[in-house]
Each structure stands twice: as C-alpha cells, then as structure tokens.
Amino acid sequence: MQLHTLLEEAFSGSSLFAGLDPQRITQLQPPTGSLREGEVLFQQGDPAEVSYVLIRGVLGLHTGPLSTSTPFFRKVVSGELVGEYGPLCGEPRSASAVALTPVDYLQLNREQLLGLLQEHAILQARVLASMAEAASLGRDPRRAPLDAVLIHDASPGSALTRAALEQLITPLQRQARLSGHDQAARLERLQPGEEQRLHALLADATRSGALTVLFSDDPALLSRRNQLLIDRLLILCDGQASAINLPEVVDENALLVRLWPQGQRTPSSRPWATQRAFAQVLNLKPERPQHLERLARAALRRQNVLVLGGGGSRGFAHIGALRAMEELGLDDIDMVMGVSIGALVASLAAFDHPAEEIFANLERVIIRARPYGLTLPRDSLFTLRNSRRELQRFFGSTQIQDSWLSLRCFSANLSNKRLHGWDRGEIPSAVIASMSVPGIFPPVQDGQGQLHVDGGILNNLPVCEARRETDGRVIAISLGSLPQPGPGVRERPSLGRTIIDSMLCASHAETLAQERLADVMLRPKIGHFPFLEWKRYREIHDAGYSHAHQVLSVELGLRG
C-alpha cells in the first residue's frame, strides 16, 4: 500500500493531522520504518534529531528500564506525532519508546517539522495544545488515559467471584458514564486460549480510546505483551481459597480483589496474598451492592479517598467529621489515608468501625490511659510502647491489607529522606511510625532496617498521594499546620510543644499546597487548640462534627 493511502487512513481519525493533505507529507519524501513488537524506537537520553509520525500500531512511552511491569505514561497510536519535543527544543530524549504491537512510522527532521508548523497555523496550535496537555499530565502512568481494563478471575468456579462478575455490569456502566465516557463501556469475555484475540482487543481499545472492559479466567492470556497494553488489571479471587490461578508474572501495578462471604467479620491474608506485591489489596463482599459499586470504582480508577491530616489532640476533630459523614449517609468512601494522629483514626475507620466506637477507643487509649511513658533521653523523651501494646491488643494479627477500606499510613523515612506509605504489614508499626514525632518519641524501624518518624515532617496532609491513586473524589481534613494563640498570649511553650511547632513550620507551605488539590476541603476552626491540649478533646470533636456537617451538606448536597 502506498504511503499516501496509509497516511489518509491514519489522518482520518487523528486529532492532530485531521484536515492536512497527506500529499504535503509525501512531498517531503520522509524516511519510513517498521518495528516488530517489543523493539525500541528510541531510548531515554539518546540524541533527538527527528520526530516520528505513527502510521500503524501502538507505541508505549516510559522512563527508566523496560520490564514486565513497566508502566507507560502515554500510548501513541496511528495519526499521532511522537518525539517532537527533542528536535524542537534541542534536548535529548526524555523518555523511551517501545513497540507494543507491530509499528510503521515515518521520520520528520527539525526543518521539515518546523516547515509544516509554519505553513499550517491549525497544526501549530494543535501541537502546542498536545504538548501542554502532556505537560499537565506529567510522567505519572497512573494519570494516563484509561482505555483497556482487564478483570481476571483467579478463582474460577467460586460462587463469590461468579456472583461478583454477574452483578458488576450495571455498576461498571454507571461509573463509566460518571467518568465522562459518552458511550457505554465495551464488555468482552475471553475464552481459554484466546491470547491473540485479547491482544487484538487491547490494541483496538488503545487506538480507539473507547473504554473496554475485558473478563478472563485463563492466566495464560496475561502474557507479557498483553500486560504491557492493559491500563488497569484487577485480580478477582475468593479470599478463603487455599490457592488462586495467577499468571507466572503479575504486573506490580495490579489490584488484588479478595471476595468474602456476607458473614466474614475481618479479612485474613493467605500466603498467596502476601508473597507478591500489588498496588492495592481490596476486600469486598459481593452480596453488598455498596461493595459492588466500590469494585466498579476501583476498576475504572474512580475510588473516593478520605485524607486525614496530623495535629495531635486536634485529631478528635476527625472523629467528629466521621460522625457527620455517617449521619449524612456518605457511604461511598473507598480508601482512607492518614498521617500522625490521622493515621491512628484512619486505621480504625478502615475497618468500618463507627465513629462512636472510634471515639470510645481513642478516649480509652489516649485520654484515660497513659499512651506514652518517660524514657531515658537517648533517642527520645518519651516512648509509645503503651500505645503500641494497646494497638496490638485491638488489632491482633490483622494486617494493613486486611482492612475493608484500603488503608495508607504515612511516615517520614529517615533512611531515604522520603515520604513512605505503609500499605502492608502490621498496623501498630505503621501507625506508631506515623505518630513518632522526632525527639519526643523514638523512630520506628521497619523490616528492612530503615528508620521512620512522623510523616508530618514532610507532608502533614498527603492529598497528592490520593491523587496518584485515583481520578475520583478526594475529601481532606486539615487540622491546621501551625498553632494560633490568642492575642496577648506570651506563655513560654513546653519542650514538646516547641518541637512539634518547629516540625510543622517546615511543612506549613506544603500543607497549604496540598489543600488546593482536594475536591472537598474541611478546615474545622480548631487552630486555637494547642496540639497537646488533650483535655479539651470533646470540644475539638464537636467542632469537627459541626464544620463537616455544614460543609458536606453544601458541597455534596447531602442531608442528614
């Protein structure tokens, strides 16, 4: 087939080259080329002398080395321009491009590309818009367009997975409409041995941009080449099974969805659930419509997240907000994240404990008991040994991945100087690490020997972490990052208060930036309560309740 005809087909569905006469390209006599599946077009750091117009196939753009679990921040299809930034700006390649299917392309050098842009104002505007959109999305694969979703039944024959798959269609289509798709999601069921058909369906979904949800129970279909084309992979299984049917290699960005019978009180992890790393572990009961909606939101990257900030005694405002949510019927939260005292409240909320029970537990552990005790001032003034013991008594052997709502607790990793999200392992370790204000409490050592302290040092309201996980709604509760004493107050602060206030001064600007990322922002008026003012916990709770009730009633149109 002649280049002119191929370009006509590619440009017909192109948002960039639509309306451009292919003859203008062929007159340039550009070099053409082809790639077999898996071959590399260019690598990060290479000199960038030419750009490429894709005529056929799918390219994946990524940073870092290519592996089975490589996430792509962009997938390039026919009729699109790729690699233009380097030649236009004189910079080396900022990413690598690999052929996810057989690919045909043509090359345009800098002079040819500039000539086309100067001749066609509309093309110039489209290229600028495309580059601006790419810059706004960044290089995070979790923000890439969601075209191909695959749900793999790893427990075929289970009544639980069968019930979930039978009842999931309606919630999936509803969430597809809510996510802005004009058409209903295309649903396809794969039969054993249809690896080639799956590959064709995935490539077609990527090219068309139409949301396609595929269902399979054959692990052999999840070949390396198919996993590279899947935008969202969910492993559906019976949580009580002794073993499940997983492919030999599972993308670490996959979600593990464990299903439980209606009477299951708390999930528990089998070895197969902990031996591999998953991006998320979800625990659901397919008999509950609310949980099926949660599964549909997870499949389409629309999970709703609640983010609880740090703030010492002000954390009782979180419980007041939870109480308001219960009264208003806000029951579509899928994930809860917390830092410092927010991590403690989050760990209880993630197990579907009502606000009244969470309040009673914190009142018992923090107010009536002695949550911390004096220690020799070698690495801290106090120890949280008593609090850890109470948490271990409460949670027992239950792990973070055994919560009904996905749970994240954040600490500051002193070893690598980064914010660390605990998404697996023992709950007491994660919570205590997130609450360990340096100097006041000792650092917590993880299983790799790295030390962790209060996450509020780096980010006291990690809304950005929620944004990385979801395109859904994010509700955040900020407890105020700095103390706000009344006028004329000249009281000399205690050592503990000085340490905490100094720590939060460092993250104050970051907290304000994080607040702007939330869809619904709750800021209860509790700034006049010092972080260690535990005696006024009921006032703080009530302030959190009234503020959340008022804001959520307006912002989300809820009524109690």
Side-chain angles (χ1 to χ4, degrees):
M1 190 178 294
Q2 292 185 343
L3 178 59
H4 183 277
T5 304
L6 291 172
L7 287 176
E8 277 187 335
E9 293 180 1
F11 289 179
S12 64
S14 171
S15 60
L16 184 64
F17 290 104
L20 181 67
D21 186 355
Q23 187 174 354
R24 180 64 188 91
I25 303 289
T26 57
Q27 288 173 347
L28 299 174
Q29 297 183 334
T32 60
S34 299
L35 295 173
R36 292 190 297 271
E37 188 179 295
E39 288 189 319
V40 174
L41 180 60
F42 54 77
Q43 290 188 323
Q44 188 175 0
D46 285 351
E49 299 173 351
V50 299
S51 59
Y52 302 90
V53 177
L54 213 63
I55 302 173
R56 181 176 68 95
V58 181
L59 278 174
L61 299 185
H62 68 96
T63 56
L66 180 67
S67 67
T68 305
S69 59
T70 294
F72 298 99
F73 64 84
R74 179 186 167 195
K75 291 176 183 174
V76 185
V77 298
S78 58
E80 291 189 351
L81 182 68
V82 64
E84 73 280 8
Y85 180 83
L88 289 176
C89 302
E91 298 287 338
R93 301 293 184 194
S94 59
S96 301
V98 61
L100 303 182
T101 67
V103 163
D104 294 328
Y105 63 86
L106 61 82
Q107 297 179 192
L108 296 174
N109 60 35
R110 185 174 186 274
E111 290 70 26
Q112 292 171 326
L113 180 58
L114 287 174
L116 288 173
L117 295 178
Q118 289 170 358
E119 290 177 25
H120 303 277
I122 185 64
L123 181 60
Q124 187 178 121
R126 289 171 180 174
V127 169
L128 287 173
S130 175
M131 294 176 70
E133 181 182 8
S136 68
L137 291 175
R139 299 297 177 88
D140 190 343
R142 288 170 291 190
R143 298 196 63 196
L146 195 64
D147 300 322
V149 178
L150 189 138
I151 300 176
H152 171 68
D153 183 358
S155 299
S158 165
L160 290 173
T161 58
R162 183 168 60 250
L165 291 172
E166 288 174 353
Q167 300 174 58
L168 184 60
I169 306 305
T170 300
L172 271 176
Q173 296 290 18
R174 178 164 43 249
Q175 291 302 322
R177 289 193 298 272
L178 291 173
S179 62
H181 287 87
D182 297 331
Q183 300 177 342
R186 177 184 178 186
L187 308 177
E188 294 282 350
R189 294 187 181 274
L190 283 300
Q191 299 301 317
E194 292 190 321
E195 192 274 345
Q196 182 62 42
R197 177 170 176 253
L198 173 58
H199 189 71
L201 289 169
L202 292 171
D204 182 63
T206 304
R207 282 192 295 266
S208 66
L211 177 62
T212 301
V213 182
L214 305 118
F215 303 91
S216 165
D217 60 11
D218 180 5
L221 270 57
L222 293 176
S223 59
R224 178 180 180 277
R225 67 173 189 160
N226 282 343
Q227 289 197 49
L228 292 177
L229 280 168
I230 295 170
D231 298 315
R232 190 82 159 166
L233 173 61
L234 283 76
I235 307 292
L236 202 65
C237 65
D238 187 327
Q240 296 177 317
S242 57
I244 61 175
N245 294 339
L246 287 174
E248 291 185 11
V249 178
V250 176
D251 186 338
E252 63 185 17
N253 298 296
L255 281 66
L256 178 66
V257 182
R258 302 186 300 184
L259 302 178
W260 304 94
Q262 183 65 22
Q264 186 78 21
R265 234 182 124 185
T266 304
S268 57
S269 292
R270 300 270 184 167
W272 49 259
T274 57
Q275 290 170 351
R276 303 194 191 197
F278 295 94
Q280 291 184 37
V281 177
L282 283 70
N283 295 290
L284 306 169
K285 297 178 180 180
E287 294 181 17
R288 297 182 60 179
Q290 176 189 356
H291 282 206
L292 289 173
E293 293 286 349
R294 189 177 297 170
L295 176 55
R297 287 193 292 270
L300 301 188
R301 203 171 60 198
R302 288 181 48 80
Q303 292 164 290
N304 297 322
V305 185
L306 176 64
V307 181
L308 306 180
S313 62
R314 298 180 187 176
F316 275 88
H318 288 322
I319 309 175
L322 291 174
R323 176 183 154 208
M325 291 180 186
E326 288 178 7
E327 291 186 5
L328 292 169
L330 183 60
D331 60 355
D332 63 350
I333 298 298
D334 306 301
M335 177 182 293
V336 59
M337 298 179 170
V339 63
S340 198
I341 189 68
L344 176 57
V345 177
S347 68
L348 297 168
F351 285 86
D352 274 350
H353 295 298
E356 183 179 358
E357 185 177 332
I358 296 174
F359 183 89
N361 275 292
L362 261 66
E363 185 180 46
R364 173 178 57 83
V365 172
I366 294 179
I367 306 302
R368 296 178 182 171
R370 291 174 58 96
Y372 46 80
L374 282 168
T375 184
L376 292 175
R378 289 179 298 187
D379 56 1
S380 66
L381 297 175
F382 301 96
T383 173
L384 285 170
R385 191 179 301 114
N386 295 344
S387 297
R388 177 186 283 272
R389 184 172 58 249
E390 288 296 328
L391 286 172
Q392 288 173 334
R393 183 180 301 163
F394 185 83
F395 287 109
S397 60
T398 305
Q399 304 285 295
I400 294 175
Q401 60 267 34
D402 296 333
S403 56
W404 289 114
L405 300 181
S406 294
L407 172 64
R408 295 287 187 279
C409 300
F410 292 93
S411 63
N413 187 323
L414 295 181
S415 302
N416 62 21
K417 314 300 186 293
R418 295 178 181 175
L419 191 71
H420 176 78
W422 298 71
D423 58 1
R424 56 178 58 85
E426 295 181 353
I427 296 173
S429 295
V431 172
I432 296 300
S434 186
M435 294 176 62
S436 292
V437 178
I440 297 181
F441 304 116
V444 173
Q445 189 175 66
D446 64 18
Q448 287 72 48
Q450 298 184 333
L451 297 177
H452 298 258
V453 296
D454 194 313
I457 291 177
L458 297 177
N459 192 337
N460 204 37
L461 190 72
V463 180
C464 62
E465 301 298 328
R467 282 286 174 224
R468 290 193 182 101
E469 295 287 346
T470 183
D471 296 330
R473 185 178 64 233
V474 177
I475 301 175
I477 306 177
S478 176
L479 303 180
S481 57
L482 290 175
Q484 300 172 14
V489 175
R490 296 175 180 236
E491 174 186 331
R492 189 176 181 86
S494 65
L495 174 60
R497 180 171 174 180
T498 299
I499 292 175
I500 292 176
D501 290 355
S502 300
M503 179 187 84
L504 292 173
C505 279
S507 62
H508 176 62
E510 180 62 30
T511 297
L512 296 179
Q514 295 292 314
E515 289 182 2
R516 292 191 286 270
L517 298 176
D519 296 298
V520 179
M521 191 66 237
L522 302 180
R523 303 180 187 89
K525 297 179 180 180
I526 53 177
H528 57 288
F529 293 101
F531 289 111
L532 300 179
E533 190 69 33
W534 297 102
K535 294 180 181 179
R536 302 177 69 183
Y537 68 99
R538 290 187 182 276
E539 294 177 63
I540 297 171
H541 167 276
D542 294 345
Y545 166 80
S546 59
H547 177 76
H549 203 288
Q550 178 183 6
V551 172
L552 293 174
S553 297
V554 175
E555 292 283 342
L556 301 180
L558 301 172
R559 294 291 182 270

